[in-house]
Amino acid sequence: LFPYTTLFRSIITFLVVILRYGFNVGSIALQESISYFHAFIFMLGAAYTLKHDGHVRVDIFYRKMSKTKKAWIDLLGTVLLLFPVCLFIFISSWDYVFTSWRLFEESAEAGGLAYVYILKTALLIMPILLLLQGTALALRNLLIIKETKDHNHG
């Protein structure tokens, strides 16, 4: 889904440029849709990227570690960093998003998109998806640690 979303965003960007500079036609809604796609790609794609270990990591020491040590670092990073940050984002965004939904917030620009409240909802969906993926990673790392412990004691 995300590769197609990225392609679609690129096509819209190309269309906006052609319309604007080739035909002197502007569309606020099209321009705003680029920001919407950009936000959805990055915010909703964060958990997918986490699943595939695609986030930037400084692995000077990590890459040389055993599978068990990597599992410990990943587990502690998930529990001590990822989970608190996700909870903070969710809690601090709740009123902001709820207010936007209550007002069915629209763009402040004439001719803009009428779905700002849907865009802001990504602020709640992103940490939920990251928490779910983080839970899966934490459980996987616990299994790795347990298997190593069982193997060494068995």
Side-chain angles (χ1 to χ4, degrees):
L1 177 65
F2 286 108
Y4 299 112
T5 308
T6 303
L7 175 63
F8 193 60
R9 184 200 59 198
S10 299
I11 291 169
I12 291 174
T13 303
F14 178 75
L15 181 62
V16 165
V17 171
I18 295 300
L19 288 173
R20 174 92 173 161
Y21 296 104
F23 300 99
N24 203 25
V25 174
S27 170
I28 299 296
L30 270 180
Q31 290 175 11
E32 286 184 356
S33 72
I34 295 167
S35 297
Y36 278 53
F37 278 111
H38 190 77
F40 289 137
I41 288 165
F42 285 95
M43 293 179 74
L44 303 182
Y48 177 84
T49 304
L50 180 62
K51 176 183 178 185
H52 294 283
D53 201 25
H55 289 281
V56 175
R57 175 188 310 227
V58 180
D59 65 351
I60 296 168
F61 302 109
Y62 183 87
R63 67 178 161 206
K64 297 176 184 177
M65 291 182 176
S66 69
K67 191 174 180 181
T68 306
K69 286 182 182 178
K70 288 180 180 180
W72 272 110
I73 289 174
D74 290 343
L75 177 63
L76 292 173
T78 299
V79 172
L80 299 176
L81 298 172
L82 179 67
F83 287 172
V85 168
C86 288
L87 290 172
F88 174 77
I89 292 170
F90 187 87
I91 292 166
S92 63
S93 299
W94 180 260
D95 287 337
Y96 181 68
V97 174
F98 181 75
T99 300
S100 186
W101 269 91
R102 192 168 35 96
L103 301 172
F104 290 110
E105 186 177 3
E106 299 181 4
S107 173
E109 301 294 325
L113 296 175
Y115 309 108
V116 173
Y117 57 98
I118 293 174
L119 175 65
K120 288 183 178 182
T121 302
L123 290 168
L124 298 178
I125 296 171
M126 180 193 69
I128 290 170
L129 293 175
L130 282 168
L131 284 168
L132 290 170
Q133 185 58 49
T135 301
L137 290 175
L139 292 172
R140 184 182 75 197
N141 287 313
L142 282 172
L143 281 174
I144 291 169
I145 293 165
K146 183 183 180 320
E147 286 173 1
T148 305
K149 188 184 244 185
D150 290 346
H151 180 70
N152 290 338
H153 291 10

